[in-house]
Amino acid sequence: MKEIGAKEFEAEVLQENGLVLVDFNADWCGPCQMMKSVLEEFAEKNNTVKVVGVNIDDNEDLAREYNVSGIPCMVLFSDGKETKRVVGVQSVKKIERMIGV
Amino acid sequence: MIYDIIIVGAGMAGLTAAIYGSRAGKSVLVLEGNIHGGQIINTINIENWPGDYKTTGAELMQKIYKQAVDLGAEVEYDEVIKIVDKGEQKEVECEDAKYTARAVILAMGTEPRKMSDKQARDAGNRPVSYCATCDGALYKGKPVVVVGSGNTAKHEIAYLEGIASKVYHIHHDDPIPQDAAAVFVAIGRVPSTECVEGLIELDKEGYVVANEDCTTSQEGIYVAGDCRTKKVRQLVTAAADGATAAEKAVRYLNKI
């Protein structure tokens, strides 16, 4: 999974056509580690959704801007606009259901 | 298909049971409502799991999950609602589907006790966390409140004091301070045994009544890990239970 920061966010997420799932995470968060392996499995199965990670410690402004109040926090963007979000570790099935793929 | 063994819960106890059941040549299905790994995935530094000094919960459980799957166990992410004991067949009703097995191992673990309704109303839209080490860093420089009076609450307060601008400490049923940006709840844990209420003997706190042999009040239904009555709730004792319960289930299956 590609990790991005504030610099890349505009091009990688906001300017992107289609679906982008952003995983807000941190190194000190155990469930986030679990979520990363789930998202890697998800990405292998679903190539129509782009998945990127944002480390909230390195990108405090992004975390504040997107009002991240618990992690892992997965925010779905459709054509650059937030459409859905879910907080807490989830199975691949639940992520697929949330996105509708 | 009728499985030999259905295991409810994919934490340490459930996945160890899956390893033992699969290695004994039985068909095994593990049902998990959330994600595999159980409670320990919240822990960042584990020093008491023999052989893996200073590992993380997520790393350890990912390895055990892969081991169980590699040995042939199936894992399905579906929340168990109810179990019906029809003698030689046990029906496990889930949110999405219904599964059948000849033996069942209960390994649902425990979950954090929730705030009272009054406190939940007080908290309103503010974030509620059950794990300061997981979410504490999000409230750097902000006031937070910890609900609870036991050892866990003390531990959470000590952790948050290094991060938050102020840490209020209240007991359950106290009003939530107006300016608290987040509510950390540490009022103990309760067993996740709702799906077997009325089926299996539970103690007054909801734990499945069992001995060290992991048998329950129902034939063909076994229990492993934190959701049973026991004195020591640790990773290794959960794993030990998984092995014991699977061994009991295998013996039972070979007899019927």
Side-chain angles (χ1 to χ4, degrees):
Chain A
M1 191 171 73
K2 190 172 175 184
E3 290 285 326
I4 63 165
K7 260 189 245 155
E8 298 87 7
F9 201 81
E10 178 75 26
E12 295 275 358
V13 181
L14 302 178
Q15 298 296 329
E16 189 75 41
N17 289 322
L19 298 174
V20 183
L21 186 65
V22 181
D23 166 42
F24 288 94
N25 63 70
D27 295 340
W28 41 263
C29 154
C32 296
Q33 294 180 19
M34 203 55 144
M35 200 61 224
K36 274 189 188 176
S37 60
V38 172
L39 288 173
E40 268 156 26
E41 195 185 326
F42 168 83
E44 265 173 42
K45 283 176 68 190
N46 298 280
N47 52 20
T48 55
V49 184
K50 178 171 155 185
V51 184
V52 295
V54 171
N55 184 303
I56 61 159
D57 289 325
D58 301 339
N59 301 282
E60 284 184 19
D61 291 346
L62 275 180
R64 206 170 304 122
E65 189 180 339
Y66 287 94
N67 205 12
V68 175
S69 63
I71 50 171
C73 175
M74 279 69 65
V75 183
L76 182 70
F77 289 83
S78 178
D79 297 333
K81 296 215 168 44
E82 177 180 343
T83 52
K84 284 174 190 169
R85 71 164 61 195
V86 61
V87 180
V89 66
Q90 315 280 325
S91 62
V92 170
K93 192 167 96 175
K94 289 232 170 105
I95 291 289
E96 286 174 342
R97 210 168 276 180
M98 161 193 158
I99 297 175
V101 287
Chain B
M1 133 161 213
I2 298 174
Y3 290 91
D4 290 325
I5 306 171
I6 284 179
I7 298 165
V8 187
M12 180 58 87
L15 289 177
T16 306
I19 289 170
Y20 275 76
S22 300
R23 292 196 74 231
K26 303 299 178 194
S27 58
V28 173
L29 172 67
V30 184
L31 295 170
E32 168 60 53
N34 185 25
I35 185 72
H36 56 269
Q39 187 195 334
I40 198 67
I41 65 168
N42 293 315
T43 304
I44 242 358
N45 187 19
I46 300 172
E47 298 191 339
N48 58 8
W49 177 257
D52 261 332
Y53 186 42
K54 293 189 194 289
T55 184
T56 71
E59 202 177 321
L60 178 64
M61 294 317 295
Q62 198 63 14
K63 280 201 279 187
I64 295 172
Y65 163 78
K66 283 191 178 135
Q67 187 176 348
V69 170
D70 194 57
L71 287 164
E74 286 175 44
V75 179
E76 201 51 68
Y77 298 93
D78 206 347
E79 177 88 34
V80 175
I81 308 293
K82 193 180 164 196
I83 298 171
V84 181
D85 188 351
K86 298 195 161 170
E88 290 192 4
Q89 285 187 15
K90 325 284 181 198
E91 286 178 2
V92 182
E93 296 172 19
C94 297
E95 235 165 51
D96 296 339
K98 189 152 100 177
Y99 305 91
T100 307
R102 296 191 290 143
V104 169
I105 295 172
L106 306 171
M108 293 86 70
T110 61
E111 60 197 56
R113 191 190 300 277
K114 303 276 190 295
M115 285 186 287
S116 67
D117 289 347
K118 184 173 152 277
Q119 273 182 335
R121 272 195 305 274
D122 252 16
N125 290 329
R126 284 177 282 186
V128 175
S129 169
Y130 296 90
C131 175
T133 52
C134 306
D135 302 322
L138 294 164
Y139 302 99
K140 208 181 332 180
K142 292 179 186 165
V144 299
V145 60
V146 174
V147 184
S149 42
N151 277 334
T152 317
K154 281 182 197 133
H155 186 260
E156 304 280 83
I157 290 164
Y159 180 82
L160 289 166
E161 272 172 347
I163 300 166
S165 63
K166 179 172 176 54
V167 182
Y168 292 103
H169 179 207
I170 63 171
H171 299 286
H172 80 287
D173 270 353
D174 291 346
I176 307 245
Q178 287 283 317
D179 65 330
V183 184
F184 288 86
V185 182
I187 43 178
R189 301 187 70 85
V190 289
S192 312
T193 50
E194 242 175 81
C195 64
V196 290
E197 270 174 21
L199 171 73
I200 295 260
E201 189 188 346
L202 304 177
D203 76 357
K204 62 178 191 320
E205 290 177 314
Y207 289 95
V208 176
V209 175
N211 294 318
E212 292 305 305
D213 68 359
C214 297
T215 53
T216 70
S217 60
Q218 286 310 101
E219 202 179 31
I221 302 183
Y222 306 90
V223 63
D226 284 3
C227 71
R228 78 169 174 92
T229 53
K230 67 193 307 192
K231 290 209 174 77
V232 183
R233 292 194 172 86
Q234 289 289 314
L235 268 187
V236 281
T237 61
D241 274 8
T244 305
E247 203 265 347
K248 279 275 168 191
V250 168
R251 272 180 193 233
Y252 166 78
L253 289 166
N254 289 344
K255 233 170 26 196
I256 60 169

